[in-house]
Amino acid sequence: MNQEALVRALTEIVGPRRILHRPGQLAAYECDGYVAQKGRPRAVVFPETTEEVSRIVRLLHRERIPFVPRGAGTGLSGGATPLHDEVVISLVRMNKLLSVDYENMRAIVQPGHVNLTLSKRLGPQGYYYAPDPSSQSVCTIGGNLAENAGGAHCLKYGVTTNHIVAAEVVMPNGDVVEIGAEFGEAVGYDLLGLIVGSEGTLGIATAITVRILKKPQAVRTVMAMFDRVADASDTVSHIIASGIVPAAIEMMDQLAMQAVDKSNYHVGYPRDIEAVLLIEVDGLEAGLPELADRIIAICREHRARSVKLAESDAERALWWSSRKMAFGATGRISPDYIVQDGVIPRTKLTEILARIAELSEESGLRIANVFHAGDGNLHPLICYDARIPGQTEKAVAVGSAILRACVDVGGSITGEHGVGVEKLEEMRYLFSDADLEAQLAIRAVFNPEDLCNPGKLIPRPGRCAEVRDAHWLAAKHAEIAAGFPDQTLTTSPGAGA
Amino acid sequence: MGDSMAEARVISPQDVCADVGQCVGNAAVAIESGWNEAAAGIAAPVAVARPTTEDRVAALVRLAAERGWRLLPAGRGRQLSWGNLGQPVDLVVSTAAMKEVAYYSPADLVISVQPGMTWAELSRVLAAEGQMLPVDPFVPDDATIGGIVSTAASGPRRALYGALRDMVIGLRVVWGDGRVIRTGGRVVKNVAGYDMTKLFIGALGTLGVLTEVTFKLRPLPLHRATVLLSGDVQALRTVAHTVMTSELIPSRLELVLRGDASRGVLAIDCDEPSGGAAYQIQRLRALAQEQGLSAEVLDGDVADNWWRMHRASAMEAPVCLRISGKPTRLTAQAAAWRTVCAEAGFETLWSITVPAGMARIFLSSTADADGVRVRKLVEQLRQAAGEVGGQVVVERAPAGVRRGIDVFGGLGASRVWMEGIKRTADPHGLLCPGRFAGGI
Ligand SMILES: Cc1cc2nc3c(=O)[nH]c(=O)nc-3n(C[C@H](O)[C@H](O)[C@H](O)COP(=O)(O)OP(=O)(O)OC[C@H]3O[C@@H](n4cnc5c(N)ncnc54)[C@H](O)[C@@H]3O)c2cc1C
């Protein structure tokens, strides 16, 4: 099917106003929040119903044309980036809250519904949706499902997969299937569990049923500043070991503090502390003083220079905004930066931070550290200047080295941002060829021709060196690489057609 | 379906036993009865291997694949009454002898255990470090972790802590062709690759033999209390729904009913620190008074003991049915469904995990060896529950009862995808065929 015929066929499904296909219109869809690799989509369509999504997918499947589902495009690993001449299926117009059942604590949304919008809609009734990625004011619940997104409060409440109970999914062949169960145990293999976190490679969610929670009666937020990073890490381990399950424990190092203090949310962190912890407990008001006291005592035991309890909602909000701005604010201290997303066993915090400091020194690149310390999820922000020859490559290499260090201490290469195209290579470090083959075999059940978001998430086994070279090539000649389908990531039958 | 197949087959347990003995040593294999009886409803002695390492498990699975033997992955056989009656198998691979802790980092709240470890032993190991795996399934104490994970067993604690799928973060598993796969990892947050772990939870051994399970843990609560409210069922129902949507934090919210009497008990746990617990108890007492219910508060060990007794009496029942649906509908319909059970001549114990929308019905009296009356009851309940969007599963029952019925109630349009998964993990179709939903 040539471009003209394709546009005609798609227009028949969505009408002339919900399709983009002229080169000038497509630039915004060339990548997501991971900007190192870009590709031009064939077209972008904006379906409004499940039936439209199904018809689009059926058409593309029949014509062997690859496609990518897309939410808000805030992904940080290239999951929504079209690298194989795909049709982008944007879900942003499917943004309705379909129903809420407060009594039974469930809500059903369309995939384009923005995360924070849901909590705002539920707020007046005293409910909220727990997973709270820092991007929650823009990212979609469909994107959250696909990435199994996390957030600061996932320490106590769990990540997206713990909050989605059922979904309507358009499978890669266009079939519409209901998976999961609103209540109790779904019968059969846990397809929902598999599809959550599958980065849009196993189907497109078109309606999502989530658990909603009653807002906690009360919250206490503690901010503790430390002269030494190691003391802050030890505090985290000690709190976890003491039997308290805080709602969140976040950590920032000095460079990250400098960055966020330049944002609109100025806290005024001292310049001579190494780390700050933001610790929150929530639950029944009557139970919180003893928890907060205990936490404050533990911080002091580990030589916190200062420990402060938020005195008002406004102060608490400022602290959180400051923390949630960290990625964006890094732009104020560095022309370019890479956000990494490693995970370590929480007890290895001190060790990994020392390693990151070493890598920073060796490479001469500054690294700001921001992380969900409570569950060992690190976000090193590697600062570089793309205008200086060689720095981009260096930054990419440092990022990769950090992820390897995480794996070496028993961790993982991604805790919430996904593999996408960015971390394909690092997957090999974590999994054996046999493990990867098993994952590809499972993909093949749903997406045998790899038309549905091709080349993402799982690398082909046993082609390590080749991909490594290509990776460097892509980094060095991004604009050239964008021009041809990346053969190393997968052999997509649709590519170049 | 299994019967005719069995006749056509000429695999003798003695032959299997001899081959398996060569593979894992004669001491690790024996011919035993009971397994096929419980899992397939057929009196057929079978070779049972108890390998001690993952390598041996893989070797056995490869051997079975070579010979075309049907294979049942199992633990101590405590949950063979779960699932459909499958085809009779030629070899049982029991991981009961693999019962070590493979990795435990208390400070990270993560443990990896071999699947043969019993639930009681795991709880003991964790309690020694002030930790727990917050599941309380209706299974015997000596049921194995492998069995519990493979049946996705759950209990009242699901109200707050979720199900096993929320706690298992990694697995090692031998697929039906003998390859060893690792899924997930040992960190609590991890989105590297597909979350394949989920597929094996509740798969009843039809996708592979588990060789290691990694859990994320919780600290034992700093304080434990259970409030028992008793009295009129309607009043209990009102309180249950009020609590569920209140600021309170019930870690269990279980409505317990016996027979078709109009009275029952609502058991509400609090795992909050003592200040919060005192507040919650006070609120519950006030609610009880408003509704004319009596209230009793149990602390610590006494509370634990109440739950142990509850589980023990549930475990005495030979049959457990499970209805899931909207909590408000479940509690509203319970009275009518209890009448259906009573009219069918069954004495029942109901345990409704209200926030999870799961009602378990334990059927005590069954002078019903061939299961005709239970199956009829299941049909009636499916009809009644189906009208309000509920789903009825036979959670466990003796073989006789499960004959000629799909205990899961069938699969919908997702069936083809599930069959695809089965073919991928078990290409020769040798892992206890027929035991899973939809006869997979
Ligand atoms: C400043 C900033 C902060 C962030 N903070 C966090 C954080 O704290 N925690 C966290 O987890 N992430 C975070 N992220 C990453 C990102 O926001 C999440 O991954 C989010 O879930 C992506 O949602 P989206 O709607 O933007 O999806 P997109 O980026 O559009 O898509 C993401 C993936 O989902 C697929 N997809 C989208 N919709 C569907 C659908 N309906 N069905 C199937 N597949 C679909 C796409 O193909 C793609 O693979 C952050 C990003 C930014 C820019």
Side-chain angles (χ1 to χ4, degrees):
Chain A
M1 189 174 246
N2 66 21
Q3 176 76 359
E4 200 178 312
L6 173 67
V7 168
R8 209 177 317 115
L10 289 170
T11 306
E12 243 167 61
I13 299 172
V14 296
R17 270 192 285 279
R18 290 192 276 123
I19 178 166
L20 303 175
H21 58 89
R22 287 187 239 307
Q25 302 173 314
L26 301 173
Y29 299 89
E30 286 180 353
C31 67
D32 58 10
Y34 173 70
V35 297
Q37 274 171 284
K38 295 185 183 182
R40 182 64 54 101
R42 254 179 237 229
V44 185
V45 283
F46 300 86
E48 287 182 346
T49 62
T50 301
E51 140 107 84
E52 285 179 359
V53 175
S54 168
R55 287 177 62 197
I56 293 164
V57 171
R58 233 181 257 294
L59 166 77
L60 298 173
H61 180 254
R62 191 187 66 217
E63 298 297 329
R64 302 290 179 270
I65 296 172
F67 49 94
V68 191
R70 183 180 176 101
T74 67
L76 291 172
S77 52
T81 300
L83 293 173
H84 300 89
D85 205 16
E86 293 94 333
V87 170
V88 169
I89 302 176
S90 167
L91 284 315
V92 293
R93 292 181 72 111
M94 292 180 71
N95 62 357
K96 290 192 196 61
L97 171 57
L98 295 174
S99 67
V100 187
D101 179 350
Y102 291 106
E103 262 193 308
N104 291 306
M105 307 179 84
R106 295 291 185 269
I108 307 180
V109 296
Q110 286 189 316
H113 196 74
V114 169
N115 176 300
L116 189 62
T117 310
L118 179 58
S119 286
K120 281 191 174 155
R121 295 278 291 270
L122 304 173
Q125 306 289 330
Y127 291 80
Y128 75 117
Y129 174 61
D132 60 338
S134 300
S135 52
Q136 70 183 139
S137 58
V138 280
C139 67
T140 66
I141 293 183
N144 296 166
L145 173 148
E147 298 287 356
N148 188 13
H153 291 80
C154 294
L155 175 56
K156 178 169 177 182
Y157 292 100
V159 294
T160 300
T161 192
N162 310 117
H163 293 271
I164 292 182
V165 296
E168 174 191 74
V169 180
V170 173
M171 304 307 278
N173 66 358
D175 285 0
V176 181
V177 180
E178 305 277 345
I179 57 175
E182 200 181 8
F183 292 96
E185 215 79 62
V187 167
Y189 300 128
D190 189 355
L191 294 187
L192 181 70
L194 182 70
I195 285 179
V196 172
S198 65
E199 301 190 6
T201 64
L202 302 183
I204 303 179
T206 48
I208 302 166
T209 308
V210 300
R211 292 202 298 143
I212 59 175
L213 302 184
K214 196 78 188 182
K215 284 193 221 168
Q217 187 185 34
V219 183
R220 290 283 187 290
T221 310
V222 173
M223 182 181 276
M225 300 182 180
F226 294 85
D227 290 337
R228 290 174 356 132
V229 169
D231 289 334
S233 325
D234 292 345
T235 303
V236 175
S237 302
H238 193 158
I239 292 172
I240 299 280
S242 69
I244 302 171
V245 183
I249 309 183
E250 300 285 302
M251 183 159 155
M252 288 191 286
D253 70 0
Q254 177 56 233
L255 190 55
M257 284 181 256
Q258 286 177 29
V260 294
D261 261 354
K262 289 201 172 108
S263 76
N264 295 335
Y265 302 96
H266 181 84
V267 173
Y269 300 102
R271 292 298 291 261
D272 59 343
I273 55 170
E274 279 187 9
V276 61
L277 289 181
L278 194 56
I279 308 159
E280 191 157 283
V281 283
D282 66 10
L284 298 171
E285 169 69 50
L288 295 189
E290 68 182 276
L291 290 186
D293 287 351
R294 184 90 187 91
I295 285 169
I296 290 170
I298 294 173
C299 291
R300 296 232 162 90
E301 240 175 88
H302 293 279
R303 294 175 288 276
R305 177 192 295 191
S306 73
V307 190
K308 192 164 181 274
L309 202 60
E311 275 162 20
S312 61
D313 282 351
E315 189 167 35
R316 171 178 181 251
L318 171 67
W319 292 354
W320 273 114
S321 301
S322 157
R323 160 61 189 90
K324 292 199 174 184
M325 277 303 115
F327 294 177
T330 305
R332 297 179 186 243
I333 57 163
S334 176
D336 301 285
Y337 62 94
I338 291 176
V339 183
Q340 264 310 351
D341 176 38
V343 193
I344 50 156
R346 324 172 224 232
T347 45
K348 306 286 195 212
L349 220 47
T350 309
E351 191 178 329
I352 203 78
L353 285 171
R355 179 75 188 118
I356 291 174
E358 252 171 54
L359 286 165
S360 168
E361 203 158 296
E362 281 165 28
S363 63
L365 299 179
R366 292 178 302 161
I367 302 178
N369 285 294
V370 174
F371 35 82
H372 310 303
D375 35 35
N377 188 184
L378 321 173
H379 292 314
L381 295 145
I382 304 158
C383 301
Y384 68 99
D385 186 344
R387 292 164 306 186
I388 301 173
Q391 281 227 333
T392 307
E393 291 82 346
K394 215 186 244 178
V396 169
V398 168
S400 192
I402 292 175
L403 296 184
R404 282 171 181 242
C406 291
V407 175
D408 288 343
V409 297
S412 171
I413 59 165
T414 172
E416 51 183 29
H417 295 169
V419 174
V421 292
E422 183 207 10
K423 290 188 269 287
L424 279 170
E425 170 64 12
E426 284 77 12
M427 282 288 280
R428 294 179 207 286
Y429 207 62
L430 191 58
F431 290 108
S432 70
D433 271 6
D435 298 336
L436 295 174
E437 265 160 30
Q439 302 214 21
L440 286 171
I442 290 293
R443 167 181 329 185
V445 171
F446 298 85
N447 184 11
E449 291 161 279
D450 204 12
L451 291 170
C452 185
N453 210 0
K456 307 287 166 65
L457 193 59
I458 319 289
R460 296 262 150 206
R463 298 173 61 183
C464 196
E466 206 177 326
V467 169
R468 181 36 99 196
D469 291 347
H471 198 78
W472 283 106
L473 181 74
K476 278 187 188 138
H477 308 287
E479 64 291 343
I480 304 172
F484 57 81
D486 193 341
Q487 302 293 342
T488 59
L489 302 184
T490 181
T491 43
S492 163
Chain B
M1 57 191 153
D3 307 37
S4 57
M5 289 286 291
E7 280 154 20
R9 293 166 67 85
V10 287
I11 297 167
S12 89
Q14 287 75 17
D15 292 349
V16 174
C17 203
D19 286 358
V20 167
Q22 289 204 330
C23 178
V24 296
N26 287 329
V29 60
I31 295 175
E32 296 176 16
S33 307
W35 299 89
N36 269 330
E37 287 74 357
I42 278 174
V46 63
V48 181
R50 292 187 177 77
T52 50
T53 66
E54 182 181 85
D55 285 348
R56 297 260 167 98
V57 172
L60 282 171
V61 174
R62 277 195 302 271
L63 182 65
E66 253 167 49
R67 305 287 156 90
W69 299 336
R70 287 195 294 251
L71 185 156
L72 175 70
R76 297 163 73 96
R78 294 297 180 268
Q79 292 182 264
L80 295 179
S81 54
W82 294 52
N84 282 319
L85 283 190
Q87 296 172 25
V89 297
D90 309 302
L91 173 65
V92 174
V93 174
S94 161
T95 47
M98 295 170 65
K99 50 190 181 196
E100 303 296 315
V101 173
Y103 168 89
Y104 185 17
S105 176
D108 289 309
L109 288 162
V110 168
I111 193 167
S112 301
V113 299
Q114 292 186 320
M117 176 174 273
T118 64
W119 180 41
E121 175 64 6
L122 176 63
S123 307
R124 200 190 56 73
V125 168
L126 297 176
E129 296 288 342
Q131 298 182 348
M132 65 172 180
L133 180 68
V135 290
D136 51 354
F138 291 96
V139 299
D141 275 344
D142 67 345
T144 65
I145 294 304
I148 291 172
V149 170
S150 296
T151 52
S154 70
R157 277 200 158 131
R158 194 170 173 161
L160 180 68
Y161 296 108
L164 277 169
R165 76 192 288 281
D166 302 304
M167 302 165 202
V168 180
I169 57 173
L171 292 174
R172 294 184 65 87
V173 54
V174 180
W175 274 15
D177 54 6
R179 53 176 151 162
V180 181
I181 305 296
R182 181 170 71 89
T183 72
R186 284 175 177 164
V187 281
V188 296
K189 242 171 125 182
N190 191 0
V191 296
Y194 293 117
D195 190 356
M196 304 243 293
T197 306
K198 298 271 193 303
L199 292 177
F200 301 90
I201 302 171
L204 285 168
T206 56
L207 295 182
V209 188
L210 302 182
T211 51
E212 189 181 295
V213 186
T214 302
F215 297 102
K216 69 174 181 185
L217 306 168
R218 282 260 170 174
L220 277 171
L222 300 167
H223 182 262
R224 289 248 318 98
T226 300
V227 176
L228 301 175
L229 303 183
S230 25
D232 175 65
V233 173
Q234 276 315 310
L236 292 173
R237 175 172 185 257
T238 306
V239 173
H241 291 292
T242 306
V243 169
M244 192 175 141
T245 54
S246 73
E247 79 284 13
L248 300 182
I249 308 174
S251 56
R252 292 189 257 216
L253 183 58
E254 197 79 0
L255 183 56
V256 179
L257 311 170
R258 274 173 202 281
D260 64 345
S262 61
R263 299 173 63 78
V265 172
L266 182 65
I268 307 154
D269 262 31
C270 186
D271 290 351
E272 296 303 296
S274 53
Y279 168 82
Q280 182 150 317
I281 289 165
Q282 184 202 336
R283 279 272 278 128
L284 291 171
R285 279 190 194 280
L287 278 170
Q289 197 159 18
E290 253 171 51
Q291 295 291 330
L293 298 166
S294 68
E296 187 188 351
V297 181
L298 311 178
D299 279 317
D301 291 348
V302 184
D304 288 340
N305 211 35
W306 188 88
W307 286 106
R308 206 168 301 128
M309 302 288 287
H310 174 57
R311 188 163 57 90
S313 64
M315 292 307 301
E316 275 168 24
V319 176
C320 172
L321 311 180
R322 198 172 72 208
I323 309 186
S324 24
K326 281 192 199 304
T328 46
R329 294 212 185 127
L330 279 190
T331 58
Q333 299 297 319
W337 295 340
R338 286 161 76 201
T339 309
V340 173
C341 295
E343 279 169 2
F346 289 101
E347 218 177 273
T348 56
L349 165 64
W350 288 62
S351 197
I352 308 179
T353 307
V354 181
M358 290 177 95
R360 286 192 173 79
I361 314 170
F362 298 94
L363 304 183
S364 323
S365 82
T366 53
D368 183 24
D370 55 1
V372 178
R373 282 168 45 227
V374 177
R375 287 195 295 272
K376 177 128 184 290
L377 175 66
V378 171
E379 234 165 76
Q380 284 175 307
L381 287 174
R382 278 188 176 151
Q383 177 83 38
E387 281 165 17
V388 294
Q391 199 170 26
V392 181
V393 165
V394 181
E395 184 165 286
R396 67 177 162 79
V401 172
R402 289 176 291 147
R403 196 182 303 279
I405 186 176
D406 185 337
V407 303
F408 298 98
L411 289 171
S414 54
R415 184 198 178 94
V416 301
W417 310 105
M418 295 191 189
E419 285 171 342
I421 290 170
K422 168 71 173 174
R423 271 195 304 275
T424 303
D426 179 22
H428 315 294
L430 295 174
L431 293 170
C432 47
R435 241 192 127 198
F436 198 60
I440 291 177

